[in-house]
Amino acid sequence: MRAFIVALIAGLFVSGAAEAQLFTHEYHGHDAGWLVLSISSSKDANADPITLFYDQTSDGSDHGSLQFSRPDWSDLSFGSADFHAGDEVGDVVVRSLHPGTYQLDSFLTRMGGKNFGDTFHIPFTILPGQTTYLGNFRFVSAHEKGFVGYLRARDFYFVVRNFARRDIGIADHKDHPPRGRVSVALPDLMAVNSPLFPLPDEQANRH
């Protein structure tokens, strides 16, 4: 099922039919909980859109995507993005979900006319009436020396940071804001053990 979904999204990327958010599963029962995270990149990044996929670990029945699409080229002030500062621009994504254990398990983006993606495992828990904040996922792309214009898996990665005050503040002003107590649950990068999520002391060697 996961392979089918990723293949479908890849097809949409190629065709240009991908919308701002894909598979935006929402649950609005009385025991709903909320997921909040932000996705960002540098203003001149050529990766667009950047999509993270999640599913419920029990049976995969609840699945969806979290996506950041850079503002249109004509939006020189990046005013349509949720935040922009320095060379960074991004959006805060909110999902209302059924309580349970989930995982971020893959991502997909498009750079230089090609699709790039990978799988990983970042678990998180949604509790009734509460909000889980997973952090800011900043996408970083770097060319290897001698390979400018040719991207390989180790040429891009995510930096995960805690911007809960900013991101929750933005989420609170969305049309469907999160509610309840906020739990900050940044991923354990050591446990993730993926080149897509290098440890802080490894990131300097990836530029």
Side-chain angles (χ1 to χ4, degrees), residues 69-205:
S69 294
R70 295 178 70 256
D72 185 84
W73 65 270
S74 63
D75 183 8
L76 299 180
S77 68
F78 295 94
S80 61
D82 283 338
F83 59 88
H84 55 95
D87 72 335
E88 184 176 15
V89 60
D91 281 339
V92 174
V93 185
V94 180
R95 286 287 179 274
S96 175
L97 299 174
H98 196 284
T101 302
Y102 294 77
Q103 64 179 356
L104 296 178
D105 64 4
S106 55
F107 100 103
L108 186 66
T109 192
R110 188 164 177 81
M111 294 184 287
K114 297 181 179 179
N115 295 326
F116 294 87
D118 209 342
T119 60
F120 47 86
H121 175 67
I122 296 179
F124 61 93
T125 300
I126 299 296
L127 298 175
Q130 299 186 29
T131 295
T132 298
Y133 173 71
L134 280 189
N136 164 249
F137 288 66
R138 175 167 181 167
F139 183 83
V140 178
S141 59
H143 298 287
E144 286 189 316
K145 186 176 181 180
F147 287 88
V148 174
Y150 178 71
L151 299 175
R152 294 187 295 180
R154 63 175 176 270
D155 298 327
F156 51 83
Y157 57 92
F158 286 95
V159 176
V160 183
R161 304 169 295 179
N162 183 359
F163 285 137
R165 178 174 295 183
R166 179 197 69 189
D167 292 349
I168 296 298
I170 293 172
D172 285 343
H173 289 86
K174 287 185 173 287
D175 291 339
H176 302 286
R179 302 174 188 169
R181 178 177 177 269
V182 177
S183 296
V184 177
L186 269 65
D188 179 350
L189 299 183
M190 187 75 75
V192 174
N193 190 29
S194 167
L196 274 174
F197 296 91
L199 298 173
D201 59 352
E202 298 172 341
Q203 294 169 11
N205 298 323

Side-chain angles (χ1 to χ4, degrees), residues 43-63:
K43 291 180 178 178
D44 61 355
N46 65 345
D48 186 58
I50 300 167
T51 307
L52 298 170
F53 298 93
Y54 66 87
D55 63 24
Q56 195 165 19
T57 55
S58 59
D59 58 9
S61 59
D62 282 354
H63 57 267

